[in-house]
Amino acid sequence: MAASGAGEPVDAKREKAPFAQRIERTREKLTPAQLQFMQQVQLAQWQKTLPQRRTRNIVTGLGIGALVLAIYGYTFYSVSQERFLDELEDEAKAARARALARASGP
């Protein structure tokens, strides 16, 4: 039994196929037919992983969108809860009134 594409037999004891060798187009001189075959294989691999990648991209986009909406919603919620700033303004008014009372007093 031969491994597909590798040309070496499968080791029957270990049941492992040999790894494919990486081919660099710039270092090795390849024929146009070999280059075309490589492009076909790369296209087939890309098309095979495309649905999975698309699903991951959609999930990532939805996650980022949900995070943005959560931050946006929390910002609106915080702005509507301006009691803290109102309390600070009240304290500032009271402090100004005390300062004016001291300045105008004896």
Side-chain angles (χ1 to χ4, degrees):
M1 179 179 187
S4 62
E8 296 180 16
V10 176
D11 188 357
K13 293 180 183 177
R14 295 186 215 147
E15 296 183 10
K16 291 184 180 178
F19 289 104
Q21 295 179 355
R22 181 171 292 275
I23 297 174
E24 295 186 26
R25 294 180 187 184
T26 56
R27 290 187 182 173
E28 297 183 30
K29 299 197 177 201
L30 301 173
T31 65
Q34 289 173 326
L35 289 174
Q36 182 183 9
F37 179 72
M38 285 176 62
Q39 289 174 347
Q40 286 176 347
V41 170
Q42 287 174 346
L43 181 63
Q45 289 173 346
W46 184 76
Q47 287 176 343
K48 181 180 174 184
T49 60
L50 184 64
Q52 186 179 23
R53 186 177 301 133
R54 183 176 292 140
T55 302
R56 286 182 188 165
N57 287 345
I58 290 171
V59 170
T60 302
L62 290 174
I64 292 171
L67 180 66
V68 167
L69 288 176
I71 292 171
Y72 192 70
Y74 179 74
T75 302
F76 269 105
Y77 174 75
S78 296
V79 168
S80 68
Q81 302 287 326
E82 288 189 9
R83 296 179 191 140
F84 178 73
L85 292 177
D86 292 339
E87 290 174 9
L88 285 178
E89 288 177 14
D90 292 341
E91 289 179 20
K93 286 180 186 177
R96 281 189 219 119
R98 285 192 301 259
L100 285 175
R102 285 186 202 149
S104 64

